[in-house]
Amino acid sequence: MNAYDRYCFFFAHPDDEIYSCALIRRLVHTGKRLLILYATSGDGAGFPEKREQEARDSLAHCGITDKDIRFLRIPEHHVLSHLKQLISLAVQLSRDFQADCLIGHDYEGGHEAHDALCYCSSELVKKNNIPHFYTFPLYHGKPQERQGARFKASRTDFLSVPLSDEEAQLKRDVLATHASQFRHFEGLQRSAPDYMELLCNREVFYKVQQPIDFSKRPMEEVGYEFHRNGFTFQDFQAAIHL
């Protein structure tokens, strides 16, 4: 994971960096160049400035300064209707940065915006000829049954990076900066008792070797279809024009 020179991390929301923050700090400490992109400011609850500051504070623990962070400020509840704009902004930023490795969300069906960011990342890789593309998991499954910090079962050939005690503390420190999201992370812990153990013991990454097929459901049971917002996989396909 540290074999490249210029890494672009592409996240849907402030707090998504929790799943790769140890890698981010390792890369900073080895002198790599990083660009951190957030598609949204987590504005769904009405306090985007607070969410952005939490992300800045989180990344400061990793050695990232404001000059390496970009908030694209796509409305959180309208990511899928702004994909063309989002891809255009991210393509230009990653092209100017000359990224040779892109790291973003896996295609897992837990949250429609996470899957949308996986699609956008795939487009960045294609449009900018980025030679290396990795994904990481956030969560999958129905609300109240979400399995976080682990890949869906069909992802078997992935890299697991054990964390030191210092890096495990980094995870806890980063988690604490996102105080506004306390209930979200509490819910993930209720759904899966081993969530914190997995989160703090290792980070996992899947190297994408073949294009991801977004015409197929990421899992037989797509978690966001059971959410109260009523969003379906067909809606997702329509948004990406499949």
Side-chain angles (χ1 to χ4, degrees):
M1 291 295 293
N2 65 349
Y4 318 120
D5 296 316
R6 305 174 77 87
Y7 294 75
C8 178
F9 287 78
F10 196 13
F11 302 123
H13 313 100
D15 76 27
D16 292 342
E17 79 283 351
I18 285 171
Y19 299 93
S20 55
C21 62
L23 174 62
I24 289 173
R25 188 160 77 171
R26 287 188 186 190
L27 294 173
V28 170
H29 285 178
T30 55
K32 305 296 184 179
R33 292 289 308 279
L34 276 72
L35 174 66
I36 314 294
L37 302 180
Y38 289 96
T40 81
S41 300
D43 59 297
F47 42 89
E49 295 86 359
K50 179 178 178 64
R51 295 291 303 277
E52 287 189 8
Q53 189 57 53
E54 287 176 342
R56 291 188 186 97
D57 293 343
S58 166
L59 290 169
H61 285 295
C62 306
I64 296 290
T65 61
D66 286 2
K67 68 179 177 61
D68 299 317
I69 306 170
R70 300 288 185 277
F71 295 97
L72 305 187
R73 297 184 174 131
I74 301 298
E76 182 176 7
H77 293 321
H78 301 283
V79 169
L80 284 155
S81 60
H82 288 74
L83 287 182
K84 185 175 181 180
Q85 177 189 1
L86 176 56
I87 291 169
S88 177
L89 289 169
V91 163
Q92 190 59 56
L93 286 166
S94 61
R95 182 176 295 160
D96 292 346
F97 179 68
Q98 298 180 323
D100 59 358
C101 181
L102 181 68
I103 299 175
H105 298 305
D106 196 35
Y107 185 49
E108 56 187 353
H111 190 301
E112 64 272 17
H114 296 168
D115 284 359
L117 262 289
C118 185
Y119 172 75
C120 291
S121 294
S122 296
E123 289 295 294
L124 262 64
V125 167
K126 182 168 56 178
K127 292 177 182 296
N128 286 346
N129 295 313
I130 298 174
H132 306 288
F133 177 27
Y134 292 83
T135 64
F136 62 88
L138 287 93
Y139 57 80
H140 58 270
K142 300 177 184 177
Q144 316 308 322
E145 299 177 12
R146 286 172 172 161
Q147 300 297 299
R150 75 198 83 201
F151 280 113
K152 59 186 182 181
S154 60
R155 289 272 188 260
T156 56
D157 185 16
F158 59 83
L159 176 66
S160 183
V161 182
L163 304 187
S164 66
D165 290 344
E166 182 182 1
E167 289 169 329
Q169 184 59 51
L170 169 68
K171 288 278 184 175
R172 291 186 284 269
D173 292 341
V174 164
L175 193 62
T177 65
H178 291 285
S180 70
Q181 299 306 103
F182 173 78
R183 291 185 181 278
H184 167 68
F185 289 106
E186 187 179 50
L188 287 172
Q189 292 177 65
R190 284 197 304 269
S191 294
D194 61 348
Y195 172 73
M196 284 301 297
E197 179 182 356
L198 291 175
L199 186 71
C200 294
N201 282 355
R202 87 288 183 269
E203 290 183 348
V204 287
F205 302 94
Y206 170 73
K207 187 165 188 180
V208 180
Q209 305 280 8
Q210 300 295 328
I212 295 171
D213 186 354
F214 293 99
S215 69
K216 295 180 179 178
R217 298 168 73 86
M219 297 180 65
E220 182 177 345
E221 205 169 63
V222 176
Y224 58 70
E225 292 192 317
F226 297 87
H227 195 271
R228 62 182 178 272
N229 65 13
F231 197 85
T232 69
F233 179 65
Q234 286 69 33
D235 296 326
F236 172 77
Q237 287 189 303
I240 64 173
H241 307 298
L242 287 177

